[in-house]
Amino acid sequence: MQFFTTWLEYFREVSGGLGSAVQLAIISLTLGYPLALFLAILLDHKNRYLRWLTIIFVELGRGIPLLVLLYIFYQGLPQIDVVPSALTAAVIAFTWSTAGYATEIIRASINSVPPGQIEGANSIGLSPRDRFRFVVLPQAARIALPPLMGLAIVMFQLTSLAYVIAISEVMQAAYFLGTKTFDYLPVFVAAAAVYAVITIPAAILVASLEKRISRFAT
Amino acid sequence: MDISTGSYLSAKNITKYFGKSLVLDDVSMDIKSGDVVSIIGPSGAGKSTFLRCMNLLETPTSGEIEIGDFRITIGLGNSEPSTKELAILRRNVGMVFQSFNLFPHLTVLENVSLGQRKVLGRSKEEARAKSLQILERVGLSEKVDVYPGRCSGGQQQRVAIARSLAMDPKVMLFDEPTSALDPEVGAEILAVMRELANDGMTMMVVTHEMSFAREVGDAVYVMVDGRIVEHGEPHKIMSEPTHERTQKFLSAVLGR
Amino acid sequence: MFLIILQGLAWTIAITIVSFSFGAVLGIFIVAGRLSRFALIRAISRIAIELIRNVPPLVWLFIVYFGVAELGPKLSPFAAAIVTFSVIASVYLGEIYRGGYASLPKGQLEAAKSIGLNRANIALRIVIPQVFRTVSPSMVTYAIGLMKDSALASTIGVVEMTFRANQITQTTGQGLTAFTIVGLIYLLISLPLGAWARHVDQRVRERYVVI
């Protein structure tokens, strides 16, 4: 019983870092998702250089581990005398990574709009811009919503990485508590619980949303 | 710029290659205003491809398309059709698809109004009024605020016809409009098409429904292997086909 | 500098390959549990899977490395990393297997039973080869992700690429150069593999069209 109350104490303290974690996640998603939409559209641009620049940007965001991106901005930039704050570095790294994955999701969603829809839109003479705005985008958005929500949950989990660049979120709180009490196992289990308590209900929500969306489509 | 009335549709020397295969071999067709033309033939003959060239959903490798005084020439030495030219063509040539291609995220009314508002520039009220009128004409007044997903196949196809009609097209193309429907339901659609024809719409119909071709059409074109092998008045073609391939096709289809 | 990073690369690859291998095997048990006839086993599997997936890998890593030390044996960083990533991989690969199995046409099992194959043979000769073909691209994609996740091992002291880059930063201050090189190496490995996975996926779709 004593063990359990102690553990609850740990849980409470570790969840103090939750605010920062959620904050970081929300900022990165708010910046990253619109950026991803923009990039997904750019991927079809007439200008070849623009397309290639976009591809490179997206692949870098996706192909470089988030941890390495964090280090690049926090520990790397000082080499050229740019010293961003931990939060700035974290936001840039997370946004880039988010945009990388989200662009793929959005692009795939745009491509899975049935080609018949494009033809239907063309057959009534809609301009390419109107076609995208009124026919393709609304349908792509519905398709993209569940995976984008899943990505949001993953990004929230990944805020745990921000610990390595001294951002005081959940892992940071846990680590400090651990070094203070030397009670590492329960402390980190508490950290695990903090994440699970948020992501498991979130995942269930996304799953039920997915079901409702699929009922809606023809 | 719009296409003048009293128009006709003329396709000259339409040729199309898909990679190395020749899908359309120098196909030409002339349609007078108010004509209803059926295109029949075995699968893979290029009928749909030809139809889709008429509103440039497919671009022929070479050829000419004329509607009224609007002409588009395609092929070597000519630039690709501009967005403007495509827009003009598609504004005046409507199409009804085998798989309907309705917009699932819009209601029936919105489906029919979208083109009117964004392409023809009609106001919301104008478009709505016209849409309601057309939807009544095709018998769908009660389904106006319903989503296509909740409509039967026959109803969806009628919405598709309404969507096309709402654009006041000079010519309407039908690509196997009843092939995805049960025979009974198909008959409904054919009835709607019959009415359109009686009201004077110029129509080009690719179909397997021989009864429609025989009874409603002003002309029947038989296409085989990318070429028109025969054409003429429906009764003549269907009862006394002269071309051997037509005979073969018709006997298989009509069981004669 | 480059040499130091390359030494780290060896560890990165080691973590990836070993964890993936264990995970691939363990994944079979996971999917077996998930699809078991016994509701209790199914429930336990489901709970375990959800727990493992919903906790960030970094937290699991710390739990295994710091936490297990309290209970008994002190794991080396490498061992802790392997244990952690193997378990995580087994869960994700198990789900991939499950998806592949679900897309197997039911007719296959019926046909196999009707010609009298016993369950072992059905599994070995009919199910596994087909499922394997379907899921290999996803498995390769996961392996790429796993390689990127291996960077986390640097936080508990495994001397792989990211760790080395950190070291270089501390000692020479050339962090940007070091981490950029590391980043590019990850890319140079993951991009071709990713393209290959997509290519294999295409080929599988073309060749083995389901009748």
Side-chain angles (χ1 to χ4, degrees), chain C residues 74-154:
Chain C
K74 186 148 195 293
L75 289 171
S76 79
F78 183 71
I82 297 291
V83 168
T84 311
F85 289 121
S86 300
V87 172
I88 295 180
S90 70
V91 164
Y92 283 97
L93 287 172
E95 287 294 286
I96 290 179
Y97 296 159
R98 192 170 69 93
Y101 181 72
S103 65
L104 192 67
K106 296 289 159 281
Q108 292 294 305
L109 293 176
E110 290 171 352
K113 277 186 216 158
S114 72
I115 54 177
L117 288 178
N118 65 25
R119 293 193 43 199
N121 263 326
I122 293 182
L124 232 68
R125 290 184 184 281
I126 309 288
V127 175
I128 291 185
Q130 292 194 48
V131 171
F132 183 70
R133 275 196 203 100
T134 312
V135 303
S136 335
S138 306
M139 288 177 75
V140 172
T141 308
Y142 183 74
I144 296 174
L146 189 58
M147 181 186 69
K148 288 189 275 175
D149 279 347
S150 71
L152 267 61
S154 64

Side-chain angles (χ1 to χ4, degrees), chain B residues 40 207-215 238 249-250 253-254:
Chain B
I40 64 175
T207 184
H208 291 303
E209 296 287 344
M210 296 304 152
S211 56
F212 182 85
R214 185 173 38 224
E215 290 155 30
M238 317 274 284
F249 170 68
L250 284 175
V253 166
L254 300 172

Side-chain angles (χ1 to χ4, degrees), chain A residues 116-117 119 122 124 134 139 218, chain B residues 52 90 101-102 104-105 149:
Chain A
Q117 291 296 302
E119 299 201 323
N122 282 341
I124 54 176
F134 295 105
Q139 297 187 59
T218 359
Chain B
R52 291 148 62 87
R90 289 170 179 168
N101 289 340
L102 292 179
H105 59 292

